[in-house]
């Protein structure tokens, strides 16, 4: 529909690309801090899972309406989550770094896109946890998800097999930091990332991780671009073969690691 849809405060907003002017949509958004969103483009909706509200909320992009939440006791306590859509198998995959009691977990969960049934896919306690502040990207070549950055500073992958666990990569190119923005480039079969909370405003590096077992983060040669930032939203434009970056924050006083430590107190 050639627009950006944003959820903020108690409202849902849209920005038509033709006009570049924000306006509020009729539906209000019940504030659900720490809920985990994922975009189901085929189903024309945004799914919000967990957080302080619990359950699964679906926002239809076709008619700009919320549907009644699907509640499950399993979802009520999960927060600090990341999600990746596995459209081929009709599901979304989730990893949560904690719950409302700040209990760490490395279990993975799946949400059936038809029934919105939410269930545990792999148990807790096998290998390292993703950790707060990490970014997760779906890698179709690996047929799994890749997580990187955050409090653990690890780069890890998780295949789809029920017996699989998180596999940590054996090397790191540099410190990734908290909340890096990233997107998958199917043309080069690589994950592209930009920014993090620990990157200064002069750092405009773009990094690439190819889809192979022994892949490592490698810097790309790019022309000068936007200032370094964290929490930016990245998407890959396959028609023009480009990485599109929106938003983000860079403030030397805004230290996500300090915020995370405060939330655990």
């Amino acid at each position: 529909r050639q627009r950006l849809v944003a959820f903020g405060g108690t409202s849902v907003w849209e920005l038509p690309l033709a006009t570049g002017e924000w306006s509020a949509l009729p539906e209000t958004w019940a504030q659900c801090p720490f809920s985990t969103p994922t975009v189901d483009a085929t189903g024309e909706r945004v799914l919000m899972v967990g957080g302080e509200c619990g359950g699964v909320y679906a926002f239809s992009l076709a008619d700009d309406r919320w549907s009644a939440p699907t509640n499950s006791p399993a979802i009520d306590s999960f927060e600090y989550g990341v999600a990746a859509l596995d459209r081929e198998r009709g599901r979304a995959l989730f990893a949560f770094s904690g719950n409302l009691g700040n209990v760490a977990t490395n279990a993975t969960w799946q949400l059936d896109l038809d029934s919105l049934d939410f269930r545990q896919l792999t148990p807790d306690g096998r290998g390292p946890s993703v950790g707060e502040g990490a970014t997760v990207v779906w890698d179709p070549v690996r047929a799994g998800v890749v997580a990187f950055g955050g409090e653990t500073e690890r780069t890890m992958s998780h295949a789809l097999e029920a017996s699989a666990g998180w596999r940590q990569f054996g090397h790191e190119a540099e410190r990734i930091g908290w909340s890096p923005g990233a997107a998958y480039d199917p043309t080069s079969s690589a994950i592209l990332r930009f920014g993090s909370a620990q990157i200064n405003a002069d750092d405009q590096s773009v990094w690439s991780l190819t889809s192979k077992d022994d892949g490592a983060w490698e810097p790309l040669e790019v022309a000068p671009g936007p200032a370094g930032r964290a929490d930016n939203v990245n998407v890959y434009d396959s028609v023009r073969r480009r990485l599109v970056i929106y938003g983000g924050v860079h403030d030397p006083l805004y230290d996500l690691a300090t915020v995370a430590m405060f939330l655990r107190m």
Side-chain angles (χ1 to χ4, degrees):
R1 294 172 183 81
Q2 296 296 299
R3 65 174 180 171
L4 177 69
V5 178
F7 305 89
T10 58
S11 302
V12 182
W13 296 76
E14 70 170 351
L15 176 71
L17 300 183
T19 65
E21 296 181 0
W22 286 102
S23 61
L25 296 174
E27 283 286 280
T28 58
W29 162 238
Q31 287 184 325
C32 291
F34 313 122
S35 60
T36 303
T38 184
V39 179
D40 177 11
T42 302
E44 297 185 287
R45 60 186 174 175
V46 178
L47 301 171
M48 297 281 189
V49 177
E52 292 187 2
C53 295
V56 180
Y57 290 75
F59 182 81
S60 171
L61 297 171
D63 59 13
D64 297 335
R65 297 292 180 186
W66 288 104
S67 61
T70 301
N71 292 311
S72 167
I75 314 175
D76 288 345
S77 62
F78 284 127
E79 58 182 10
Y80 305 116
V82 286
L85 197 71
D86 178 14
R87 167 51 64 182
E88 181 179 349
R89 296 166 183 82
R91 64 182 179 177
L93 303 177
F94 292 84
F96 300 91
S97 60
N99 58 25
L100 293 182
N102 290 318
V103 177
T105 173
N106 64 359
T108 52
W109 299 74
Q110 77 171 27
L111 176 71
D112 185 279
L113 297 180
D114 291 330
S115 65
L116 298 186
D117 176 59
F118 186 79
R119 66 180 179 85
Q120 189 169 340
L121 183 63
T122 62
D124 190 15
R126 297 190 303 186
S129 172
V130 173
E132 296 175 25
T135 296
V136 171
V137 175
W138 173 257
D139 187 328
V141 176
R142 287 187 173 90
V145 293
V146 177
F148 44 90
E151 64 179 351
T152 66
E153 289 292 347
R154 301 185 183 104
T155 298
M156 304 182 295
S157 64
H158 195 303
L160 293 177
E161 292 80 6
S163 60
W166 287 103
R167 183 183 70 84
Q168 183 174 343
F169 290 13
H171 44 70
E172 293 291 351
E174 39 68 73
R175 188 181 183 192
I176 295 175
W178 281 61
S179 302
Y184 190 81
D185 172 9
T187 304
S188 60
S189 298
I191 297 172
L192 304 178
R193 68 173 173 86
F194 171 80
S196 80
Q198 280 73 30
I199 289 181
N200 62 54
D202 296 327
D203 191 340
Q204 302 170 351
S205 303
V206 178
W207 295 77
S208 172
L209 177 69
T210 57
S211 297
K212 55 184 180 181
D213 289 340
D214 59 347
W217 289 107
E218 299 288 347
L220 299 179
E221 294 185 4
V222 297
R229 66 198 65 201
D231 291 316
N232 44 288
V233 178
N234 293 10
V235 294
Y236 183 74
D237 180 354
S238 58
V239 175
R240 299 171 182 84
R241 292 198 62 188
R242 62 182 181 178
L243 186 67
V244 181
I245 299 169
Y246 170 78
V249 59
H250 178 79
D251 184 343
L253 299 178
Y254 182 59
D255 187 340
L256 291 178
T258 302
V259 173
M261 291 176 62
F262 172 78
L263 290 173
R264 291 197 188 96
M265 295 176 61

